[in-house]
Amino acid sequence: MFDHPPVSTQQILHPSAYFSDQKPDMTDAPTLDATSGQTGSPAIRVLAEGALGEFDVSALLRQYGEERAGAAEATHFRGGSYRLYENKHDKRPVLTFVADWDSPEAAETFLALYRQVLKGKWKKMEVSAPSATELSGTGDDGKFQVRIVGNAVESREGLP
């Protein structure tokens, strides 16, 4: 085990994933694009970036929603990453992340559960375009867009 340590919390939580050498999907968090009004702007800098694990997703969903639903949904997680930006002018954070799931149904369930996360972490949340595959609107940190792309859920939060 010291010569070949686990590479993810998924391999720790599910030993069969470790022994079958199942690795998480390596995905890249969404970048800020033209819709954010920040493309290539020197006023934006990356503060932090990294991988998301099953434990991260489970803890997030259990913190803001029903514990059983969050724990059960996290078992369908296949990998993800995040990137935290800062607008240098107003010091506001912008968070982007992607979470890959084992099926489109699991992605839809995560989107529904993540709506509860957003409601829980913000005092105010106005949804402008709810659907089974997208959630967008305005929260305490600015505009947000969360959408399903295949088996993945992409999120951009804190947009101007």
Side-chain angles (χ1 to χ4, degrees):
M1 186 155 163
F2 292 112
D3 291 334
H4 179 64
V7 297
S8 68
T9 56
Q10 181 184 44
Q11 288 186 339
I12 294 167
L13 295 170
H14 309 285
S16 61
Y18 172 78
F19 290 114
S20 67
D21 202 30
Q22 179 181 338
K23 293 186 172 57
D25 295 344
M26 302 311 286
T27 57
D28 194 26
T31 56
L32 296 179
D33 59 19
T35 62
S36 68
Q38 306 281 340
T39 303
S41 172
I44 294 292
R45 70 180 177 131
V46 176
L47 290 178
E49 58 188 330
L52 294 173
E54 181 180 334
F55 181 77
D56 300 318
V57 171
S58 177
L60 180 68
L61 294 177
R62 288 182 292 119
Q63 179 180 2
Y64 289 104
E66 183 191 328
E67 187 157 338
R68 282 188 180 178
E73 177 63 11
T75 64
H76 297 280
F77 181 73
R78 293 296 169 253
S81 64
Y82 73 94
R83 190 169 290 123
L84 182 63
Y85 297 90
E86 178 186 57
N87 182 319
K88 291 181 186 178
H89 296 301
D90 62 12
K91 304 293 184 197
R92 292 189 63 129
V94 178
L95 172 67
T96 66
F97 74 83
V98 63
D100 283 338
W101 299 92
D102 62 7
S103 69
E105 295 78 22
E108 287 180 21
T109 300
F110 175 75
L111 180 63
L113 292 171
Y114 195 67
R115 181 179 183 149
Q116 294 175 345
V117 170
L118 294 176
K119 280 183 179 178
K121 74 178 190 173
W122 291 332
K123 291 179 182 169
K124 111 183 147 123
M125 179 176 135
E126 296 176 16
V127 177
S128 59
S131 75
T133 60
E134 185 170 337
L135 179 66
S136 61
T138 307
D140 293 351
D141 297 326
K143 293 181 182 178
F144 65 90
Q145 179 189 34
V146 187
R147 64 188 179 120
I148 296 174
V149 179
N151 287 356
V153 176
E154 294 182 349
S155 178
R156 292 170 179 82
E157 301 167 30
L159 301 171

